[in-house]
Amino acid sequence: DQQVKQNSPSLSVQEGRISILNCDYTNSMFDYFLWYKKYPAEGPTFLISISSIKDKNEDGRFTVFLNKSAKHLSLHIVPSQPGDSAVYFCAASAGGGADGLTFGKGTHLIIQP
Amino acid sequence: SQTIHQWPATLVQPVGSPLSLECTVEGTSNPNLYWYRQAAGRGLQLLFYSVGIGQISSEVPQNLSASRPQDRQFILSSKKLLLSDSGFYLCAEDRGTNYGYTFGSGTRLTVV
């Protein structure tokens, strides 16, 4: 049973527009959420995170929104740029334990010129 | 700063052959280390994690094993590879910051 779900395997957005990547989770114990960006044949790199005590975190063009009641988070990229084309993974952790982050399957974002 | 070294970058192995992937970490002591696998359509799957030398926890039953012979060394092994072991293997380190994990550059394993 997948505890972190990214239901869109791919997303195509025009350059300059907003990209919205969605993530849903089922485990109520998750209290920290992260987004990673991954290029082909490379390891994922950290992008932005949010604690469950917040509902929004912003870093430059990237904003993550958390809706705890809906168990839903989203990543907004504005404006989208060609270099944003990558696979984006949503991840969650519970209690800051050492037993690993739980990742979604990823969404492949394609920015069209 | 920290650096995670993974090698090799790519590997093609026949079914039934052994496997050894090595991950070493610089710049930190007693890190929590992880092995993840990215397989087609399955996202990032946690395979093993280690909180210290000789301490290994397995998340899923499989044809693989892990060892941590030194504080900054994490090894992923198999005695006999299966076709289903093909995938992209990633080593990661958790330094307990708000930035989650730092990942290595990964090893693309193809079992033929």
Side-chain angles (χ1 to χ4, degrees):
Chain A
D1 179 37
Q2 195 147 21
Q3 298 185 60
V4 177
K5 300 177 183 178
Q6 292 176 257
N7 293 319
S8 298
S10 66
L11 175 67
S12 184
V13 175
Q14 198 167 11
E15 182 178 357
R17 300 284 185 110
I18 182 172
S19 295
I20 300 177
L21 298 141
N22 293 304
C23 178
D24 297 291
Y25 62 96
T26 58
N27 188 342
S28 301
M29 300 302 292
F30 286 147
D31 59 1
Y32 198 71
F33 304 90
L34 309 93
W35 284 94
Y36 283 82
K37 177 180 179 179
K38 184 183 180 300
Y39 294 116
E42 294 183 9
T45 55
F46 170 78
L47 196 57
I48 193 169
S49 63
I50 189 168
S51 164
S52 61
I53 62 174
K54 295 185 176 181
D55 54 18
K56 177 183 175 181
N57 187 26
E58 187 173 356
D59 183 2
R61 297 187 297 116
F62 303 92
T63 303
V64 55
F65 295 92
L66 175 62
N67 183 333
K68 289 185 290 294
S69 61
K71 292 189 175 68
H72 176 84
L73 64 155
S74 60
L75 174 67
H76 293 211
I77 306 174
V78 182
S80 300
Q81 299 175 353
D84 295 330
S85 295
V87 176
Y88 290 79
F89 288 99
C90 173
S93 72
D99 54 348
L101 296 173
T102 301
F103 285 85
K105 291 186 177 182
T107 296
H108 185 194
L109 176 63
I110 302 164
I111 306 301
Q112 296 180 334
Chain B
S1 65
Q2 63 191 58
T3 304
I4 300 180
H5 298 282
Q6 263 190 264
W7 65 91
T10 60
L11 190 59
V12 180
Q13 291 285 98
V15 169
S17 64
L19 173 74
S20 181
L21 301 180
E22 188 163 345
C23 171
T24 59
V25 180
E26 294 180 5
T28 187
S29 296
N30 198 32
N32 293 337
L33 299 176
Y34 305 84
W35 278 110
Y36 278 86
R37 176 172 60 196
Q38 183 187 13
R42 300 198 60 183
L44 291 173
Q45 181 187 29
L46 177 63
L47 303 176
F48 300 95
Y49 69 92
S50 171
V51 298
I53 296 174
Q55 300 179 65
I56 307 295
S57 296
S58 175
E59 286 295 300
V60 293
Q62 57 211 322
N63 186 42
L64 302 169
S65 62
S67 62
R68 187 161 175 183
Q70 300 180 39
D71 181 44
R72 300 176 184 179
Q73 185 182 30
F74 202 22
I75 298 172
L76 183 69
S77 304
S78 174
K79 292 182 179 178
K80 289 185 178 181
L81 284 168
L82 306 172
L83 287 174
S84 58
D85 292 325
S86 293
F88 191 54
Y89 289 82
L90 291 155
C91 179
E93 175 193 22
D94 179 13
R95 297 185 71 191
T97 70
N98 288 332
Y99 300 104
Y101 296 169
T102 298
F103 284 87
S105 55
T107 295
R108 169 69 61 192
L109 172 66
T110 303
V111 182
V112 296

